[in-house]
Amino acid sequence: MALDRRAFLGRAAASLIATQLSSILLSQSETAGHSTLPPWEPGYLYIHHISTGRGSCALLILPDATTMMIDAGSMIKGFDPKSDKFTIEPRPNGSMRPGQWIARYAGEVLSQANRNEIDYFLLTHFHEDHMGAVWPGRYDISPRSQFGPYQLGGVTDVAETIPIRKVIDRCFPDYAYPSPIPGPQFANYHAFIMSLAVRGGVAERFVAGSKEQITLKRAPERYSDFEVRNLASNGNVWTGVGDETKAHFPPLASLKPEDYPPENKCSLAIRLRYGKFSYFSAGDQDHEVRAGRWPWGDIETATARAAGKVQVAVADHHGYADACGSDWVRALQPNAFVINAWDSGHPTIVALHNMLSQDIYPGQRLVFSTATKPETTIAIRRMAELASQEGHVIFRVPPGGNSFEVFVRDSSVPDGKVIAHFGSFQCT
Ligand SMILES: [Zn+2]
């Protein structure tokens, strides 16, 4: 049992969701917990899942003030009018691009650590809801950068105001696995990568299996119980022995090009550990095997088994129909899931059912979504069991990593306040 301490609800949200949570939480204190998010202090780990309703983004401040962002998605409303009815409205509103909202949020949070730069930007894979979308040639919607020949959206919007020291993706520098990355969105990202050096930044290919690529940069000697293990990318999965990896996908020479591993399956994955606390993030990995045509297709379970049990897991592929399978859940058994939602299919019913299943593993767990399409709460009755359906989801881990708390900040307005607070929970 990992959620073995008191659980507090934020004052503002208590009446709203207390009924929904009563079956999930062990106990609720009469005392309201933190109604504000304490600013970062040395020794703390903060993980902010930033809610824009338009893609994935996590901002991390590590215990020594090293900073990291994982993805900065930004789907453009109106770019594909047929899709708009399925997607979530921009949070807090459409007056700025999602990447600009991310940059604004990040600027505020980073200043708490006296930082104004991102040491590591991890791009899980080359899709717009993770790297950002631009509208080619529409400079009114996607302006040109002042730093290079590319347009602004997602990560490029972030980098326009907050310097990024190192970008790590799955394919630098040749971008050729399993075949050259197609399309104008990637071309825009590539132009950004090529111009990084102008501002003193660098790009690197993610090294699966390593725990030396993403390290504390400012005071690593003080936090020897912190590590980021690179679990997987391009189908190469850490074995658990040293830095070794095993190829989960067959050699490309044995596959027809139409059966090459798709972009989502190539997503990079990490496990972050701080003391007893651990966090899993694997982009849009999935378990689709196409009725046996891809017997190697279940990359998400292989990656989750490499990670082992964790406290917090980001739902693979936004909790979509091809992800968060029962084997994935069984391998991770987290105390909290986070769904980065931007579509009515985030999550789908089976994925959510797996996350909540007492048959797969017993005990309490909290499921958070950064945003929710109203129709999803009708289509999926169990959405009522979520700890929170809306807002920035923030994990706060005190020095030593023996416990964690969860805060939810209102994302319907800029600079939203804390609307719910959970924990503290002991890590076991
Ligand atoms: Zn995605």
Side-chain angles (χ1 to χ4, degrees), residues 56 125 127 129-130 264 283-284 317-318 342 346:
S56 295
H125 64 298
H127 279 161
D129 57 323
H130 298 261
N264 285 346
D284 284 358
H317 198 198
H318 319 275
W342 57 265
H346 300 161

PDB file of all heavy atoms in Angstrom, residues 56 125 127 129-130 264 283-284 317-318 342 346, ligand 1:
ATOM      1  N   SER A  56       0.924  17.770 -25.283  1.00  0.00           N
ATOM      2  CA  SER A  56       1.635  17.359 -24.071  1.00  0.00           C
ATOM      3  C   SER A  56       2.741  18.353 -23.730  1.00  0.00           C
ATOM      4  O   SER A  56       3.422  18.861 -24.625  1.00  0.00           O
ATOM      5  CB  SER A  56       2.277  15.980 -24.273  1.00  0.00           C
ATOM      6  OG  SER A  56       1.289  14.994 -24.445  1.00  0.00           O
ATOM      7  N   HIS A 125       8.813  12.420 -29.582  1.00  0.00           N
ATOM      8  CA  HIS A 125       8.707  11.998 -30.982  1.00  0.00           C
ATOM      9  C   HIS A 125       8.197  13.164 -31.809  1.00  0.00           C
ATOM     10  O   HIS A 125       7.803  14.199 -31.283  1.00  0.00           O
ATOM     11  CB  HIS A 125       7.814  10.755 -31.123  1.00  0.00           C
ATOM     12  CG  HIS A 125       6.376  10.964 -30.743  1.00  0.00           C
ATOM     13  ND1 HIS A 125       5.982  11.319 -29.469  1.00  0.00           N
ATOM     14  CD2 HIS A 125       5.226  10.887 -31.459  1.00  0.00           C
ATOM     15  CE1 HIS A 125       4.659  11.428 -29.422  1.00  0.00           C
ATOM     16  NE2 HIS A 125       4.172  11.187 -30.626  1.00  0.00           N
ATOM     17  N   HIS A 127       5.691  14.420 -33.527  1.00  0.00           N
ATOM     18  CA  HIS A 127       4.304  14.755 -33.836  1.00  0.00           C
ATOM     19  C   HIS A 127       3.969  16.116 -33.235  1.00  0.00           C
ATOM     20  O   HIS A 127       4.497  16.510 -32.199  1.00  0.00           O
ATOM     21  CB  HIS A 127       3.344  13.689 -33.285  1.00  0.00           C
ATOM     22  CG  HIS A 127       3.243  12.472 -34.161  1.00  0.00           C
ATOM     23  ND1 HIS A 127       2.767  11.264 -33.715  1.00  0.00           N
ATOM     24  CD2 HIS A 127       3.554  12.285 -35.479  1.00  0.00           C
ATOM     25  CE1 HIS A 127       2.790  10.376 -34.701  1.00  0.00           C
ATOM     26  NE2 HIS A 127       3.264  10.973 -35.776  1.00  0.00           N
ATOM     27  N   ASP A 129       1.483  17.374 -31.602  1.00  0.00           N
ATOM     28  CA  ASP A 129       0.986  17.515 -30.228  1.00  0.00           C
ATOM     29  C   ASP A 129       2.092  17.315 -29.198  1.00  0.00           C
ATOM     30  O   ASP A 129       1.835  17.369 -27.985  1.00  0.00           O
ATOM     31  CB  ASP A 129      -0.184  16.550 -29.971  1.00  0.00           C
ATOM     32  CG  ASP A 129       0.172  15.106 -30.230  1.00  0.00           C
ATOM     33  OD1 ASP A 129       0.924  14.814 -31.181  1.00  0.00           O
ATOM     34  OD2 ASP A 129      -0.306  14.233 -29.481  1.00  0.00           O
ATOM     35  N   HIS A 130       3.338  17.133 -29.682  1.00  0.00           N
ATOM     36  CA  HIS A 130       4.497  17.022 -28.790  1.00  0.00           C
ATOM     37  C   HIS A 130       5.578  18.048 -29.126  1.00  0.00           C
ATOM     38  O   HIS A 130       6.146  18.661 -28.236  1.00  0.00           O
ATOM     39  CB  HIS A 130       5.055  15.600 -28.826  1.00  0.00           C
ATOM     40  CG  HIS A 130       4.049  14.600 -28.348  1.00  0.00           C
ATOM     41  ND1 HIS A 130       4.029  14.087 -27.073  1.00  0.00           N
ATOM     42  CD2 HIS A 130       2.960  14.072 -28.973  1.00  0.00           C
ATOM     43  CE1 HIS A 130       2.975  13.287 -26.920  1.00  0.00           C
ATOM     44  NE2 HIS A 130       2.315  13.255 -28.073  1.00  0.00           N
ATOM     45  N   ASN A 264       4.807   6.775 -33.310  1.00  0.00           N
ATOM     46  CA  ASN A 264       4.467   6.683 -31.889  1.00  0.00           C
ATOM     47  C   ASN A 264       5.276   5.614 -31.169  1.00  0.00           C
ATOM     48  O   ASN A 264       5.724   5.802 -30.039  1.00  0.00           O
ATOM     49  CB  ASN A 264       2.970   6.387 -31.708  1.00  0.00           C
ATOM     50  CG  ASN A 264       2.098   7.603 -31.975  1.00  0.00           C
ATOM     51  OD1 ASN A 264       2.588   8.725 -32.047  1.00  0.00           O
ATOM     52  ND2 ASN A 264       0.802   7.372 -32.121  1.00  0.00           N
ATOM     53  N   GLY A 283       6.007   9.124 -23.850  1.00  0.00           N
ATOM     54  CA  GLY A 283       5.433   9.697 -25.070  1.00  0.00           C
ATOM     55  C   GLY A 283       4.198   8.945 -25.534  1.00  0.00           C
ATOM     56  O   GLY A 283       3.294   8.657 -24.736  1.00  0.00           O
ATOM     57  N   ASP A 284       4.171   8.617 -26.805  1.00  0.00           N
ATOM     58  CA  ASP A 284       2.995   7.969 -27.393  1.00  0.00           C
ATOM     59  C   ASP A 284       3.247   6.511 -27.740  1.00  0.00           C
ATOM     60  O   ASP A 284       2.679   5.974 -28.711  1.00  0.00           O
ATOM     61  CB  ASP A 284       2.523   8.747 -28.631  1.00  0.00           C
ATOM     62  CG  ASP A 284       1.778  10.024 -28.256  1.00  0.00           C
ATOM     63  OD1 ASP A 284       1.603  10.284 -27.053  1.00  0.00           O
ATOM     64  OD2 ASP A 284       1.388  10.760 -29.176  1.00  0.00           O
ATOM     65  N   HIS A 317       0.366   7.610 -24.884  1.00  0.00           N
ATOM     66  CA  HIS A 317      -0.497   8.035 -25.999  1.00  0.00           C
ATOM     67  C   HIS A 317      -1.811   8.649 -25.512  1.00  0.00           C
ATOM     68  O   HIS A 317      -2.881   8.363 -26.041  1.00  0.00           O
ATOM     69  CB  HIS A 317      -0.763   6.858 -26.969  1.00  0.00           C
ATOM     70  CG  HIS A 317      -1.263   7.303 -28.305  1.00  0.00           C
ATOM     71  ND1 HIS A 317      -1.905   6.455 -29.186  1.00  0.00           N
ATOM     72  CD2 HIS A 317      -1.249   8.522 -28.907  1.00  0.00           C
ATOM     73  CE1 HIS A 317      -2.244   7.121 -30.271  1.00  0.00           C
ATOM     74  NE2 HIS A 317      -1.859   8.377 -30.136  1.00  0.00           N
ATOM     75  N   HIS A 318      -1.685   9.485 -24.477  1.00  0.00           N
ATOM     76  CA  HIS A 318      -2.846  10.252 -23.972  1.00  0.00           C
ATOM     77  C   HIS A 318      -3.991   9.342 -23.487  1.00  0.00           C
ATOM     78  O   HIS A 318      -5.131   9.792 -23.414  1.00  0.00           O
ATOM     79  CB  HIS A 318      -3.376  11.213 -25.050  1.00  0.00           C
ATOM     80  CG  HIS A 318      -2.310  11.902 -25.839  1.00  0.00           C
ATOM     81  ND1 HIS A 318      -1.702  13.057 -25.407  1.00  0.00           N
ATOM     82  CD2 HIS A 318      -1.712  11.580 -27.023  1.00  0.00           C
ATOM     83  CE1 HIS A 318      -0.791  13.428 -26.301  1.00  0.00           C
ATOM     84  NE2 HIS A 318      -0.772  12.549 -27.285  1.00  0.00           N
ATOM     85  N   TRP A 342      -5.983  16.201 -25.258  1.00  0.00           N
ATOM     86  CA  TRP A 342      -6.347  17.283 -26.196  1.00  0.00           C
ATOM     87  C   TRP A 342      -7.457  16.857 -27.150  1.00  0.00           C
ATOM     88  O   TRP A 342      -7.817  17.603 -28.057  1.00  0.00           O
ATOM     89  CB  TRP A 342      -5.116  17.792 -26.969  1.00  0.00           C
ATOM     90  CG  TRP A 342      -4.355  16.744 -27.749  1.00  0.00           C
ATOM     91  CD1 TRP A 342      -3.254  16.054 -27.340  1.00  0.00           C
ATOM     92  CD2 TRP A 342      -4.630  16.280 -29.081  1.00  0.00           C
ATOM     93  NE1 TRP A 342      -2.839  15.183 -28.313  1.00  0.00           N
ATOM     94  CE2 TRP A 342      -3.657  15.309 -29.397  1.00  0.00           C
ATOM     95  CE3 TRP A 342      -5.598  16.606 -30.041  1.00  0.00           C
ATOM     96  CZ2 TRP A 342      -3.626  14.644 -30.628  1.00  0.00           C
ATOM     97  CZ3 TRP A 342      -5.571  15.944 -31.267  1.00  0.00           C
ATOM     98  CH2 TRP A 342      -4.590  14.981 -31.540  1.00  0.00           C
ATOM     99  N   HIS A 346      -9.287  11.043 -25.356  1.00  0.00           N
ATOM    100  CA  HIS A 346      -8.265  11.075 -24.298  1.00  0.00           C
ATOM    101  C   HIS A 346      -8.939  11.209 -22.933  1.00  0.00           C
ATOM    102  O   HIS A 346      -9.320  12.310 -22.564  1.00  0.00           O
ATOM    103  CB  HIS A 346      -7.299  12.248 -24.512  1.00  0.00           C
ATOM    104  CG  HIS A 346      -6.571  12.217 -25.802  1.00  0.00           C
ATOM    105  ND1 HIS A 346      -5.964  13.333 -26.347  1.00  0.00           N
ATOM    106  CD2 HIS A 346      -6.344  11.208 -26.693  1.00  0.00           C
ATOM    107  CE1 HIS A 346      -5.393  13.016 -27.488  1.00  0.00           C
ATOM    108  NE2 HIS A 346      -5.609  11.739 -27.724  1.00  0.00           N
TER     109      HIS A 346
HETATM  110 ZN    ZN B   1       0.499  12.526 -28.894  1.00  0.00          ZN
END
